[in-house]
């Protein structure tokens, strides 16, 4: 569902934070309470990798290496998922992850959506590692080596865009270090402001 004018443009909330901060858990709660459609960039990429598509091998090498998949692939997958949804409200989890992602999104999607705000879940690295290793989802990147690479990518590539969103007044910081229910209380306050 992608529109051309302000009345038909879907609302988008970007959801960012370090790996293991609980973004997916909070997105599930937001979906239940506020009726958003949750689009996880990572899940879309993993599904595309598993589909045997021509991009699958490239995606796998980036996921295993903890690096960022080319923006053209990710934006295409997100746009297709939005078009397929019957909803006009989207949480985009784990995207954008760097300046190139922001530029690619703006080029292809900026005029087609209303970016409401950016949820930013903050959590200490060791707590994120504990959570990532304990989630037992069978992900190829849930190991100490991949996690450390992902954290470095996050610090070097994602934090500069987080600061950019903050400067534009779009960032909503949330302390994600406590239990999921307490974090959701803080998350709800961000949605109640809108």
């Amino acid at each position: 569902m992608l529109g051309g004018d302000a009345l038909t443009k879907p609302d988008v909330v970007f959801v960012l934070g370090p790996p293991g901060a609980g973004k997916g858990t909070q997105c599930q709660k937001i979906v239940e309470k506020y009726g958003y459609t949750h689009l996880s960039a990572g899940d879309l990429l993993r599904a595309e990798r598993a589909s045997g598509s021509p991009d699958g091998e490239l995606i796998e090498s980036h996921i295993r290496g903890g690096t960022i998949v080319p923006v053209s692939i990710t934006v295409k997958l997100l746009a297709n998922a939005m078009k397929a949804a019957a909803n006009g409200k989207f949480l985009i989890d784990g995207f954008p992850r760097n300046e190139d992602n922001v530029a690619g999104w703006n080029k292809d999607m900026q005029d087609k959506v209303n970016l409401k705000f950016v949820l930013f879940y903050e959590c200490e690295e060791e707590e994120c590692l504990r959570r990532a290793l304990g989630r037992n989802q069978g992900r190829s990147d849930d190991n100490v080596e991949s996690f450390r690479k992902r954290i470095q990518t996050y610090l070097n590539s994602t934090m500069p865009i987080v600061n950019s969103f903050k400067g534009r007044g779009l960032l909503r910081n949330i302390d994600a270090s406590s239990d999921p229910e307490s974090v959701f209380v803080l998350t709800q306050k961000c949605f109640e402001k809108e």
Side-chain angles (χ1 to χ4, degrees):
M1 177 176 187
L2 295 176
D5 62 61
L7 296 176
T8 60
K9 288 182 185 179
D11 290 336
V12 168
V13 173
F14 289 143
V15 182
L16 299 175
K23 298 179 298 292
T25 299
Q26 293 304 310
C27 285
Q28 288 176 332
K29 293 176 178 301
I30 295 165
V31 166
E32 291 168 13
K33 176 138 180 137
Y34 298 103
Y36 276 73
T37 296
H38 175 213
L39 300 177
S40 162
D43 288 351
L44 291 170
L45 290 165
R46 283 184 285 277
E48 185 70 10
R49 171 189 64 189
S51 75
S53 79
D55 292 329
E57 195 172 307
L58 175 65
I59 291 169
E60 173 63 13
S61 69
H62 282 282
I63 288 175
R64 281 198 180 273
T67 57
I68 297 173
V69 173
V71 67
S72 59
I73 294 171
T74 310
V75 169
K76 176 181 71 174
L77 294 173
L78 288 167
N80 289 343
M82 291 173 76
K83 287 176 191 168
N87 195 351
K89 300 188 305 185
F90 296 93
L91 297 171
I92 299 183
D93 167 8
F95 182 90
R97 293 183 60 203
N98 63 15
E99 291 288 349
D100 186 51
N101 281 183
V102 172
W105 173 266
N106 287 343
K107 177 179 172 265
D108 293 342
M109 302 295 290
Q110 184 175 30
D111 295 334
K112 298 175 185 171
V113 302
N114 295 314
L115 177 60
K116 303 298 279 181
F117 55 90
V118 179
L119 286 175
F120 177 57
Y121 291 99
E122 297 181 275
C123 191
E124 293 295 321
E125 182 176 333
E126 290 308 311
E127 175 62 13
C128 289
L129 175 61
R130 185 190 67 73
R131 291 175 182 180
L133 296 180
R135 62 183 165 199
N136 200 19
Q137 294 176 338
R139 290 173 43 169
S140 63
D141 58 348
D142 277 347
N143 61 71
V144 174
E145 183 180 343
S146 288
F147 178 84
R148 297 284 184 216
K149 289 177 184 174
R150 290 166 61 207
I151 281 289
Q152 283 311 305
T153 299
Y154 163 78
L155 292 171
N156 295 332
S157 300
T158 305
M159 283 309 296
I161 67 163
V162 166
N163 293 328
S164 174
F165 285 129
K166 182 178 182 178
R168 294 170 43 203
L170 291 170
L171 200 69
R172 309 289 188 269
N173 290 65
I174 299 169
D175 178 357
S177 60
S178 60
D179 66 279
E181 293 306 321
S182 298
V183 175
F184 191 57
V185 168
L186 300 173
T187 299
Q188 290 177 83
K189 291 178 182 177
C190 296
F191 284 88
E192 290 163 5
K193 290 179 185 176
E194 293 304 307

